[in-house]
Amino acid sequence: MEKQKQTAILLAHCPDKQGILAAMTNFINVNKGNIVYLDQHVDYEQNTFFTRIEWDLTDFIIPKEKIIDYFHTLFGMTYEMDFNIYFSDVKPRMAIFVSKMSHCLFDILSRYTAGELNVEIPMIVSNHPDLKWVGDRFGIPFHVFPITKENKAEQEAAEMELLKGENVDFIVLARYMQIISEDMIREYPNKIINIHHSFLPAFVGAKPYHAAYERGVKIIGATSHYVTTELDAGPIIEQDVVRVTHKDTVKSFIHKGRDLEQIVLSRAVEKHIDRKVLAYKNKTVVFA
Amino acid sequence: MEKQKQTAILLAHCPDKQGILAAMTNFINVNKGNIVYLDQHVDYEQNTFFTRIEWDLTDFIIPKEKIIDYFHTLFGMTYEMDFNIYFSDVKPRMAIFVSKMSHCLFDILSRYTAGELNVEIPMIVSNHPDLKWVGDRFGIPFHVFPITKENKAEQEAAEMELLKGENVDFIVLARYMQIISEDMIREYPNKIINIHHSFLPAFVGAKPYHAAYERGVKIIGATSHYVTTELDAGPIIEQDVVRVTHKDTVKSFIHKGRDLEQIVLSRAVEKHIDRKVLAYKNKTVVFA
Amino acid sequence: MEKQKQTAILLAHCPDKQGILAAMTNFINVNKGNIVYLDQHVDYEQNTFFTRIEWDLTDFIIPKEKIIDYFHTLFGMTYEMDFNIYFSDVKPRMAIFVSKMSHCLFDILSRYTAGELNVEIPMIVSNHPDLKWVGDRFGIPFHVFPITKENKAEQEAAEMELLKGENVDFIVLARYMQIISEDMIREYPNKIINIHHSFLPAFVGAKPYHAAYERGVKIIGATSHYVTTELDAGPIIEQDVVRVTHKDTVKSFIHKGRDLEQIVLSRAVEKHIDRKVLAYKNKTVVFA
Amino acid sequence: MEKQKQTAILLAHCPDKQGILAAMTNFINVNKGNIVYLDQHVDYEQNTFFTRIEWDLTDFIIPKEKIIDYFHTLFGMTYEMDFNIYFSDVKPRMAIFVSKMSHCLFDILSRYTAGELNVEIPMIVSNHPDLKWVGDRFGIPFHVFPITKENKAEQEAAEMELLKGENVDFIVLARYMQIISEDMIREYPNKIINIHHSFLPAFVGAKPYHAAYERGVKIIGATSHYVTTELDAGPIIEQDVVRVTHKDTVKSFIHKGRDLEQIVLSRAVEKHIDRKVLAYKNKTVVFA
């Protein structure tokens, strides 16, 4: 494989003003940064400007460790810009939370193993030991935290300690089947990705396939979203659907949905890893 | 165009028992009816059998006017079968209700004019005169019944009189934008087809595109369904969806949705005209 | 409807160099043009930069009639940039060519009538009189040029004279069913939009639905493209597909394809009207 | 999991005659077979009847080992019917052929491991050792047959011996990247399932993503089909597509296509395992 050039990635949003984009691209250009990706979006209703810019650092004049400072001074303050800068040589660290179903976990690990995800996976966490063998097969530490009503708070506290100890950046709920408590959600704002097996906002909550079957829909869906304290109501990252007919049953809904769930979750995870998702006011900008 | 053979179409459902299908196909066969279409479905959960059978009447021994009697005696009573028999030479009569938007109306009339819909359209009904010119262009009588809170009951009564006078079999609400009262709905059970501009059951009620935009969905939809007394909750006939992104606005949702609405409605209308929809317990069996 | 602000639209491409986008957005900004749309694309393989920029002319300092000159001097020459500038108050003029099938024509006229297409339609042209009534209904002049092998060259010459007399900017072949000769194609480079009823490059040429049926495909498609002198091989603007099964026949392929054709053609026509398509090396950049 | 009832599955086709379906369902019914699945299709153009019938053997009077005889006598001979009868307790045996890419292999094994495929997988075969570790992880014997121009015939002969020794019923080419020789294809008629990474018949042969990129398509696809002696021209089982834009590159085509390939292949494999695919005259009937 060709050697990847080291790049910096800017994800930013701010009130829209004339000249922002020009100012930033100029700044990068004059400092000999070669822009390899640029996308921008203006929400005219919210008067908000969003951008993702990625540039090659090979000849960039400003030292890597000072880039954030420069952007803070030049743009953050001038334009009231919220921004993050990531470097392509720093892989984000992802924890996968699972319960008993393996398909989403397998799909992620299959991509990871094939070198398609620029991420590190220091752990799989579960409330059941059922999928420990998968962690073993792929050589990823598997931690079991059995959760009951009584011990939920302390188990989550233990989980968070583990996550911090391993410098986990974000969490993927790969059909985890447990509601995450508010404390944990607040610790990882827009950093917990869930897959819900319905076309949200239809069929919030438990047993969405049963509810969809009951309603007689002709299409079922799956939705990946960031977890917020309101159940199944966080910013949507990706959705997809598949057609069903009167011949389908709850069982075949589950079966067809399985493919949807894993593909919708994996697409969202990949976009997140690639720093292409910007959550804003309970929506997402997902750059192409 | 080739001369169409005259056919009979049976739409039926009953408790599932061994031998029903064999009994009916045997009966048609021994009486020299040539089956040109047969589809069946068993809902094992409800233990209910559904079928649509169409056969050529050219050599059928039983006289046309006695066919319903025979089916009533042989199958209706024996198998507790609910059924309807239609004849291909009797076109159903359809009224189209519109308000101010023309796209669904145009799409239906375009198909009708091209000879694609085996239907008669004796009237267009509206609460506004805005689309009268469309009726004029296509030579279809256009009746205006301005509706206010105060006169709704009497206007609907007048509409129903008109519908009956013209032997209207079913009604298509082509973006009618008015809630039909319960009296009228009861008069046309599973015979009023609505198009709702969302992926039901998400975004029931008014302004679904605004609600979808607010929620930040990545896919929008449209749903055609039979109207029941519960708003947007009747048996779904057809749904379809289209992808949206953060670049879309409410305006572009409406624009993209326009195509969805007309295609989803036209598909449902065509299935209904072709006697391929069987409503049952707030769901539909839609034969291929 | 709100009064639309007058805007200028730049469609441009050139060899990619650092600073192009910054230079242009700067230029517009300092001259008090408010950018309301900006999208750009870099083809790193071809090292080519593409952009579409639209800005409000209300406070723009440079007089409208000099804008093209300025861009020519500042960017066209400096960056070897190929560009066009359009003004939102100048509607393009579109001719529709049809044969005997009405569905694509109706779909375009339905949108046109509803005010959704920012275009003028001075004429419908056909080799058959069959659809004259549609022109009559919509009040659009309908010109019949019966074409035979013998008279093709002179009939097309007469058509081109008519097109020029009416200042037609581009042509839509709405199932025209005739091959346009090279002379005419060269007169309208990337300005003749065709709809082909297959998923190109599969099933080039005549009777694609028959060929698709014969091959046993499980999905059929439609493709809109600019016409070039090689049959069905021009730059693709839009494609879409629909699922078929073993139950489908050539007849039902045609029926399902009808919806595809009109929607795929209308999407392409709308993108073209909105100056969002940039043809380049037998491909298109289609801005969102 | 509930205990599955043992069932018999009939897959059959024959010239269409009145009364076939009635005769067969009668026969099953009077012998106390409870039909749990019935689908049928008539190709009126070919005058051919197709059916899949599955019935519960619990109370079936005819002994399992005589069922085929009975069907042969009663229907095979009378109706010139080609048929196969399968029993749900006999799992088909599947070999997976791979080369260096793992995604399709992982997807199948993920489903297999989750108990979703009613199949046995006695071996993985490859011309490279690269994916041996996957076989090892999942505990499936992995056989390497390095293939060169010179040794192809003998290596395939060795493969076929191995396949026969293990009673392999059918072969899945999970991105095998080798052309199977005619001898081997003839040994497994309609029993070798391939995944081709294009929307066939577009882009037959090598490097379809490159060809699709070159052509500027707006949608790419994948096709699973039975292998015949004509390259990429066998009966199509399943196809699906995904949208691409001018922003995509050959690399992103490959990336997007990866998901398509595995899902389209897995759907085809599952239909085949469930005895729902009937190949006929280079097409397939795929029962729902």
Side-chain angles (χ1 to χ4, degrees):
Chain A
M1 205 170 195
E2 75 207 282
K3 191 169 168 298
Q4 293 292 321
K5 288 172 182 169
Q6 197 185 129
T7 59
I9 297 161
L10 169 78
L11 265 188
H13 67 89
C14 62
D16 187 34
K17 277 191 199 146
Q18 285 195 17
I20 300 175
L21 191 65
M24 288 198 295
T25 56
N26 258 344
F27 171 75
I28 295 169
N29 282 329
V30 298
N31 289 294
K32 299 193 187 300
N34 186 29
I35 293 174
V36 294
Y37 177 104
L38 183 153
D39 204 356
Q40 57 96 48
H41 167 61
V42 178
D43 181 333
Y44 291 103
E45 202 173 289
Q46 302 279 349
N47 196 41
T48 303
F49 169 81
F50 302 86
T51 195
R52 182 186 186 279
I53 306 178
E54 183 169 358
W55 66 99
D56 185 348
L57 293 177
T58 312
D59 302 321
F60 200 51
I61 291 169
I62 297 167
K64 198 173 152 186
E65 63 279 7
K66 293 197 177 160
I67 293 175
I68 290 174
D69 268 6
Y70 271 75
F71 272 82
H72 179 66
T73 310
L74 293 173
F75 307 108
M77 287 168 65
T78 315
Y79 295 98
E80 301 167 73
M81 184 181 283
D82 264 345
F83 71 93
N84 278 297
I85 289 179
Y86 306 95
F87 297 101
S88 62
D89 59 347
V90 181
K91 295 187 182 185
R93 293 171 66 79
M94 167 172 92
I96 308 175
F97 279 42
V98 297
S99 190
K100 295 183 174 177
M101 273 171 294
S102 63
H103 57 288
C104 288
L105 176 61
F106 258 120
D107 195 60
I108 292 170
L109 295 183
S110 157
R111 290 164 201 269
Y112 172 67
T113 304
E116 296 183 6
L117 301 179
N118 190 38
V119 76
E120 283 173 7
I121 308 180
M123 71 180 73
I124 301 168
V125 170
S126 183
N127 54 335
H128 294 288
D130 300 51
L131 297 180
K132 186 172 184 313
W133 64 274
V134 182
D136 293 348
R137 275 194 194 168
F138 286 85
I140 296 171
F142 191 94
H143 304 274
V144 182
F145 293 84
I147 285 182
T148 62
K149 262 185 211 170
E150 289 69 32
N151 73 4
K152 183 158 187 165
E154 63 192 270
Q155 288 290 61
E156 284 199 346
E159 286 171 2
M160 282 193 276
E161 199 169 349
L162 178 69
L163 293 166
K164 278 169 200 166
E166 286 286 352
N167 297 311
V168 164
D169 294 300
F170 71 103
I171 299 166
V172 174
L173 308 182
R175 300 299 311 275
Y176 177 51
M177 308 299 280
Q178 282 279 324
I179 291 176
I180 305 285
S181 69
E182 298 202 3
D183 282 355
M184 195 157 168
I185 293 170
R186 289 210 185 84
E187 201 69 33
Y188 292 92
N190 293 327
K191 288 181 174 170
I192 306 177
I193 300 174
N194 185 40
I195 179 71
H196 184 73
H197 41 307
S198 84
F199 187 85
L200 286 177
F203 310 122
V204 165
K207 297 212 173 248
Y209 291 133
H210 289 77
Y213 179 76
E214 207 52 46
R215 179 60 188 91
V217 296
K218 298 300 185 187
I219 289 175
I220 57 171
T223 304
S224 56
H225 63 95
Y226 289 121
V227 174
T228 57
T229 54
E230 189 182 342
L231 183 64
D232 296 333
I236 293 170
I237 306 168
E238 168 69 350
Q239 300 188 290
D240 212 341
V241 297
V242 69
R243 211 162 258 283
V244 293
T245 75
H246 60 268
K247 292 186 181 174
D248 282 289
T249 58
V250 170
K251 200 175 159 186
S252 71
F253 274 29
I254 292 169
H255 187 70
K256 287 185 172 183
R258 171 201 189 288
D259 287 345
L260 269 186
E261 292 161 21
Q262 71 183 49
I263 214 162
V264 168
L265 180 59
S266 285
R267 281 188 202 141
V269 167
E270 191 176 331
K271 286 286 185 187
H272 184 91
I273 290 172
D274 290 348
R275 322 299 196 177
K276 290 192 166 171
V277 190
L278 209 160
Y280 178 75
K281 295 206 172 179
N282 214 45
K283 295 188 187 182
T284 61
V285 171
V286 182
F287 293 106
Chain B
M1 204 171 196
E2 76 207 282
K3 192 169 166 299
Q4 294 291 320
K5 287 171 182 170
Q6 198 186 128
T7 60
I9 297 161
L10 170 79
L11 265 188
H13 66 89
C14 62
D16 187 34
K17 277 191 199 147
Q18 286 196 16
I20 299 176
L21 190 65
M24 288 197 295
T25 56
N26 258 345
F27 172 74
I28 296 169
N29 282 330
V30 298
N31 289 293
K32 298 193 187 299
N34 186 29
I35 292 174
V36 294
Y37 177 103
L38 183 152
D39 203 356
Q40 57 96 48
H41 168 60
V42 179
D43 181 334
Y44 291 103
E45 200 173 289
Q46 301 279 349
N47 196 42
T48 303
F49 170 82
F50 303 86
T51 195
R52 183 187 185 279
I53 307 177
E54 184 169 358
W55 67 99
D56 186 347
L57 293 177
T58 312
D59 302 321
F60 199 51
I61 289 168
I62 297 166
K64 198 172 150 184
E65 64 277 9
K66 292 197 176 159
I67 292 174
I68 289 174
D69 268 7
Y70 271 76
F71 272 82
H72 179 67
T73 310
L74 292 173
F75 306 108
M77 287 166 65
T78 315
Y79 294 98
E80 301 168 73
M81 185 182 283
D82 264 345
F83 72 93
N84 278 297
I85 290 179
Y86 306 95
F87 297 101
S88 63
D89 59 346
V90 180
K91 294 186 182 185
R93 293 171 68 78
M94 166 172 94
I96 308 175
F97 279 43
V98 297
S99 190
K100 295 182 174 178
M101 273 171 294
S102 63
H103 58 287
C104 289
L105 177 61
F106 258 120
D107 195 60
I108 292 170
L109 294 183
S110 157
R111 291 163 200 270
Y112 172 67
T113 303
E116 296 183 7
L117 300 179
N118 190 37
V119 75
E120 284 173 5
I121 306 179
M123 71 179 73
I124 301 167
V125 170
S126 183
N127 54 335
H128 294 289
D130 300 52
L131 297 180
K132 186 173 183 313
W133 64 275
V134 182
D136 293 349
R137 273 193 194 169
F138 285 85
I140 296 171
F142 190 93
H143 304 275
V144 182
F145 294 86
I147 285 181
T148 62
K149 261 186 211 168
E150 290 70 31
N151 72 4
K152 182 157 187 167
E154 63 192 271
Q155 289 291 60
E156 283 200 345
E159 285 171 2
M160 282 193 276
E161 199 170 348
L162 178 70
L163 293 166
K164 278 170 198 164
E166 285 287 352
N167 296 311
V168 164
D169 294 302
F170 71 104
I171 299 165
V172 172
L173 308 181
R175 299 300 313 275
Y176 178 50
M177 308 298 281
Q178 281 279 324
I179 291 175
I180 305 286
S181 70
E182 299 203 3
D183 282 356
M184 195 157 168
I185 293 170
R186 289 210 185 84
E187 200 72 31
Y188 291 91
N190 293 327
K191 288 180 174 170
I192 305 176
I193 300 174
N194 186 40
I195 179 71
H196 184 74
H197 42 308
S198 85
F199 186 83
L200 287 176
F203 311 122
V204 165
K207 299 216 172 242
Y209 290 134
H210 290 77
Y213 179 77
E214 207 51 47
R215 178 63 187 91
V217 296
K218 298 299 186 187
I219 289 175
I220 57 170
T223 304
S224 56
H225 63 95
Y226 289 121
V227 174
T228 57
T229 54
E230 189 181 344
L231 183 65
D232 297 332
I236 293 170
I237 306 169
E238 169 70 351
Q239 301 188 290
D240 212 341
V241 296
V242 70
R243 212 163 258 282
V244 293
T245 76
H246 60 270
K247 292 186 181 174
D248 282 288
T249 58
V250 170
K251 200 175 158 188
S252 71
F253 274 28
I254 292 169
H255 187 70
K256 287 186 172 181
R258 171 200 189 288
D259 286 344
L260 268 187
E261 292 161 21
Q262 70 183 48
I263 214 163
V264 168
L265 179 60
S266 284
R267 281 187 202 143
V269 167
E270 193 176 330
K271 286 288 185 186
H272 184 90
I273 290 172
D274 290 347
R275 322 299 197 176
K276 290 191 166 171
V277 190
L278 211 159
Y280 178 75
K281 296 207 171 175
N282 214 46
K283 295 187 187 183
T284 60
V285 171
V286 181
F287 292 106
Chain C
M1 204 169 195
E2 76 208 283
K3 192 169 167 299
Q4 292 293 321
K5 288 172 181 168
Q6 199 186 127
T7 60
I9 297 161
L10 169 79
L11 265 187
H13 66 90
C14 62
D16 187 34
K17 277 189 198 148
Q18 285 195 17
I20 300 175
L21 191 65
M24 288 198 295
T25 57
N26 259 344
F27 172 73
I28 295 169
N29 282 330
V30 299
N31 289 293
K32 299 194 186 300
N34 187 28
I35 292 174
V36 294
Y37 177 103
L38 183 153
D39 203 358
Q40 57 96 48
H41 167 62
V42 179
D43 181 333
Y44 291 103
E45 201 172 289
Q46 302 279 349
N47 195 43
T48 304
F49 169 81
F50 302 86
T51 195
R52 183 188 185 278
I53 306 178
E54 184 170 359
W55 66 100
D56 186 348
L57 293 177
T58 313
D59 302 321
F60 200 51
I61 290 168
I62 297 167
K64 197 172 151 186
E65 63 279 8
K66 292 197 177 159
I67 292 175
I68 290 174
D69 268 7
Y70 271 75
F71 272 83
H72 178 67
T73 310
L74 292 174
F75 307 107
M77 287 167 63
T78 316
Y79 294 99
E80 300 168 74
M81 185 182 285
D82 263 345
F83 71 93
N84 278 297
I85 289 179
Y86 306 95
F87 297 102
S88 62
D89 59 346
V90 181
K91 294 186 183 186
R93 292 171 67 78
M94 167 172 93
I96 308 175
F97 279 43
V98 297
S99 190
K100 295 182 174 177
M101 273 172 293
S102 63
H103 57 287
C104 288
L105 177 60
F106 259 119
D107 194 60
I108 292 169
L109 294 183
S110 157
R111 290 164 201 269
Y112 172 67
T113 304
E116 296 183 6
L117 301 178
N118 190 38
V119 76
E120 283 173 6
I121 308 180
M123 71 181 71
I124 301 167
V125 170
S126 183
N127 54 335
H128 294 288
D130 301 52
L131 297 180
K132 187 174 182 314
W133 64 274
V134 182
D136 292 349
R137 275 195 193 166
F138 286 85
I140 296 170
F142 190 95
H143 304 275
V144 182
F145 294 85
I147 285 180
T148 62
K149 261 185 210 169
E150 290 70 32
N151 72 4
K152 182 157 186 167
E154 62 191 272
Q155 288 290 63
E156 283 199 345
E159 285 171 1
M160 281 193 277
E161 199 170 348
L162 178 68
L163 292 166
K164 279 169 199 165
E166 286 286 352
N167 297 312
V168 164
D169 295 301
F170 73 105
I171 298 166
V172 173
L173 307 182
R175 299 299 312 275
Y176 177 51
M177 309 298 281
Q178 282 279 325
I179 291 175
I180 305 286
S181 71
E182 299 202 3
D183 282 354
M184 195 157 167
I185 293 169
R186 288 209 185 84
E187 201 71 32
Y188 292 92
N190 293 327
K191 288 181 175 170
I192 306 176
I193 300 173
N194 186 40
I195 178 73
H196 184 73
H197 42 308
S198 85
F199 186 85
L200 287 176
F203 312 121
V204 165
K207 298 213 172 247
Y209 290 133
H210 290 76
Y213 180 78
E214 207 51 48
R215 179 61 187 91
V217 297
K218 298 300 186 187
I219 289 175
I220 56 171
T223 304
S224 55
H225 63 95
Y226 289 121
V227 175
T228 57
T229 54
E230 190 181 342
L231 183 64
D232 297 333
I236 293 171
I237 307 168
E238 168 70 351
Q239 300 188 289
D240 212 342
V241 297
V242 69
R243 212 162 259 282
V244 293
T245 76
H246 60 269
K247 292 185 181 175
D248 282 289
T249 59
V250 170
K251 200 176 158 186
S252 71
F253 275 29
I254 292 169
H255 187 69
K256 286 186 172 181
R258 170 202 190 288
D259 287 345
L260 269 186
E261 292 162 20
Q262 70 183 49
I263 214 162
V264 168
L265 180 59
S266 284
R267 280 186 202 144
V269 167
E270 192 176 331
K271 285 287 185 188
H272 184 91
I273 290 172
D274 290 347
R275 321 300 196 177
K276 290 192 166 170
V277 191
L278 211 159
Y280 178 75
K281 296 207 171 175
N282 214 45
K283 295 187 188 183
T284 60
V285 171
V286 181
F287 293 106
Chain D
M1 204 169 195
E2 75 208 285
K3 192 169 166 299
Q4 293 292 319
K5 287 171 182 170
Q6 197 185 130
T7 60
I9 298 162
L10 170 78
L11 266 188
H13 67 88
C14 63
D16 188 34
K17 276 191 199 147
Q18 286 195 15
I20 299 176
L21 190 65
M24 287 198 296
T25 56
N26 258 344
F27 172 74
I28 295 169
N29 282 330
V30 299
N31 288 293
K32 300 194 186 299
N34 186 28
I35 293 174
V36 294
Y37 176 103
L38 184 153
D39 203 357
Q40 57 96 48
H41 167 62
V42 179
D43 182 332
Y44 291 103
E45 201 172 287
Q46 302 278 350
N47 196 42
T48 304
F49 170 82
F50 302 86
T51 196
R52 184 187 185 278
I53 307 177
E54 183 169 359
W55 66 100
D56 185 347
L57 292 177
T58 313
D59 303 320
F60 200 50
I61 290 169
I62 296 167
K64 198 172 152 186
E65 64 278 9
K66 292 198 177 160
I67 293 175
I68 291 174
D69 267 6
Y70 271 75
F71 271 83
H72 179 66
T73 311
L74 293 173
F75 307 109
M77 288 167 65
T78 315
Y79 294 98
E80 302 168 71
M81 185 182 283
D82 265 346
F83 72 93
N84 278 297
I85 289 179
Y86 306 95
F87 297 101
S88 62
D89 59 347
V90 181
K91 294 186 181 184
R93 291 171 68 79
M94 168 171 93
I96 307 176
F97 280 43
V98 297
S99 190
K100 295 183 175 179
M101 273 172 294
S102 63
H103 57 287
C104 288
L105 177 61
F106 258 120
D107 195 59
I108 292 170
L109 294 183
S110 157
R111 291 164 200 269
Y112 172 66
T113 304
E116 296 183 6
L117 301 179
N118 191 37
V119 75
E120 282 174 5
I121 307 179
M123 71 180 73
I124 301 168
V125 170
S126 183
N127 54 335
H128 294 288
D130 300 50
L131 298 180
K132 187 174 181 311
W133 64 274
V134 182
D136 293 348
R137 274 195 194 167
F138 286 85
I140 296 170
F142 190 93
H143 305 274
V144 182
F145 294 85
I147 285 182
T148 63
K149 262 185 210 169
E150 291 69 31
N151 72 4
K152 183 159 185 164
E154 63 192 271
Q155 288 291 61
E156 283 199 346
E159 285 171 2
M160 282 193 276
E161 199 170 350
L162 178 68
L163 292 166
K164 278 170 199 166
E166 286 287 351
N167 296 311
V168 164
D169 294 302
F170 72 104
I171 298 166
V172 173
L173 308 181
R175 299 300 312 275
Y176 177 52
M177 308 298 280
Q178 282 280 324
I179 291 175
I180 305 285
S181 70
E182 298 203 3
D183 282 354
M184 195 157 168
I185 293 170
R186 288 210 185 84
E187 201 70 33
Y188 292 91
N190 293 327
K191 288 181 174 170
I192 306 177
I193 301 173
N194 185 39
I195 178 71
H196 183 74
H197 42 307
S198 86
F199 186 85
L200 287 177
F203 311 122
V204 165
K207 297 214 173 244
Y209 290 133
H210 290 77
Y213 179 78
E214 207 51 47
R215 178 62 187 91
V217 296
K218 297 299 185 187
I219 289 175
I220 56 170
T223 305
S224 56
H225 63 95
Y226 289 121
V227 174
T228 58
T229 55
E230 190 181 341
L231 184 64
D232 296 333
I236 293 171
I237 306 169
E238 168 69 349
Q239 300 187 290
D240 212 340
V241 297
V242 70
R243 212 163 259 282
V244 292
T245 75
H246 60 268
K247 293 187 181 173
D248 282 288
T249 58
V250 170
K251 199 175 159 188
S252 70
F253 274 30
I254 291 169
H255 187 70
K256 287 185 172 182
R258 171 202 189 288
D259 287 345
L260 268 186
E261 292 161 21
Q262 70 184 48
I263 214 163
V264 167
L265 180 58
S266 284
R267 281 187 202 143
V269 167
E270 192 177 332
K271 285 287 186 187
H272 184 91
I273 289 172
D274 291 347
R275 322 298 196 177
K276 289 192 166 172
V277 190
L278 211 159
Y280 178 75
K281 295 204 172 177
N282 215 46
K283 295 188 186 181
T284 61
V285 171
V286 181
F287 292 106

